[in-house]
Amino acid sequence: MIIAIDGPAAAGKGTLARLIAAEFDYAYLDTGALYRAVGLAMLKAGMNPADSDQAAAASEKLDLSLIDDPALRSEAVGSAASQVASVPTVRDNLLYFQRNFAVTPPNNKKGAVLDGRDIGTVVCPNAEVKLYVTASPEERARRRTSEIQMRGEVANYATILADVKARDARDMARTSAPLKPAADALLLDTTELDIDAVFLRAVRFIKSKA
Ligand code: CDP
Ligand code: CDP
């Protein structure tokens, strides 16, 4: 069983994906972390994430240890990730790892949950379950702001809202694997739903497909 979860930044994809993976004992892959790792590697090397040739080169050898770097979650790295994510060669270079994880999940798990932007449309178009998780930009910026503040860091709501909107626009407008719901995805607008309510709806849908 492959469960694909897509949607814009801070919609609650990762939270939902982790709960689903725990419920069904499936493996979980945060595919955004792969794009973030490429962006972070470039920033660390003093490269410009807007340079497509440099981004393509940086994605040739993915440094998976960067996934555990505390800087991975910063908004600066999120922006760099969305810049490198518009480069087709970068997407191609990350595709094999993602498909392999979905088809042969680690630890002999019977299923895989992947979250990102193009899982249901490009990475796993044959996934049995596709969920598209969204929420208003204001609510997503509010969630991201409190998340950062809970880590004890300073966060400015207005800056984060502008950043979320810029990233949405870039992710939806790019020609290579743009963010959009798959035709057969269950739409979950979480603006007014708490995590438990979203999880219950998702589980009901998954059980109806099993
Ligand atoms: O956690 P958040 O939703 O803020 O972002 P993320 O999932 O970590 O993804 C960071 C960036 O990577 C996104 O803005 C996308 O541009 C890109 N991405 C992508 O293009 N395709 C994916 N499957 C996952 C992420
Ligand atoms: O993975 P993605 O960037 O889509 O979002 P996330 O990291 O799962 O969620 C972003 C924040 O929103 C987290 O702090 C969640 O606890 C919170 N959240 C929420 O308040 N209500 C929801 N229905 C889903 C997530």
Side-chain angles (χ1 to χ4, degrees):
M1 164 84 90
I2 297 175
I3 299 179
I5 305 181
D6 292 305
K13 304 179 299 294
T15 307
L16 179 62
R18 279 189 190 86
L19 288 171
I20 291 173
E23 174 77 12
F24 295 97
D25 194 27
Y26 289 171
Y28 165 54
L29 180 65
D30 168 9
T31 67
L34 306 177
Y35 291 91
R36 284 174 180 266
V38 175
L40 178 56
M42 294 189 75
L43 295 178
K44 281 189 185 242
M47 292 193 269
N48 176 7
D51 183 318
S52 326
D53 291 336
Q54 288 193 345
S59 68
E60 293 289 342
K61 34 176 180 28
L62 188 63
D63 180 358
L64 287 174
S65 72
L66 290 175
I67 303 285
D68 298 318
D69 193 308
L72 196 78
R73 292 291 139 206
S74 71
E75 288 306 299
V77 171
S79 294
S82 96
Q83 287 178 298
V84 306
S86 68
V87 181
T89 310
V90 173
R91 306 201 70 83
D92 277 352
N93 283 339
L94 300 183
L95 193 57
Y96 176 78
F97 182 86
Q98 297 174 76
R99 282 207 178 129
N100 191 45
F101 186 100
V103 176
T104 315
N107 304 318
N108 289 319
K109 300 280 186 189
K110 301 241 174 319
V113 186
L114 285 80
D115 81 351
R117 300 292 185 289
D118 63 335
I119 309 304
T121 51
V122 174
V123 178
C124 303
N126 298 324
E128 287 85 349
V129 171
K130 298 179 186 177
L131 306 174
Y132 190 86
V133 184
T134 187
S136 70
E138 290 74 18
E139 172 62 15
R140 291 185 283 119
R142 196 191 58 71
R143 290 176 187 171
R144 194 46 47 97
T145 304
S146 52
E147 207 176 32
I148 295 169
Q149 285 168 345
M150 275 192 305
R151 289 203 299 258
E153 295 164 30
V154 183
N156 179 280
Y157 172 80
T159 311
I160 291 174
L161 178 60
D163 192 80
V164 158
K165 287 182 174 171
R167 206 135 64 84
D168 285 357
R170 195 152 51 213
D171 289 349
M172 291 176 189
R174 68 180 177 225
T175 44
S176 182
L179 170 64
K180 62 170 183 218
D184 50 350
L186 174 71
L187 299 186
L188 291 166
D189 185 332
T190 75
T191 308
E192 313 225 335
L193 288 182
D194 66 13
I195 294 163
D196 289 348
V198 178
F199 177 59
L200 279 177
R201 285 187 198 196
V203 168
R204 219 183 300 140
F205 184 68
I206 294 164
K207 288 186 171 161
S208 78
K209 299 277 180 181

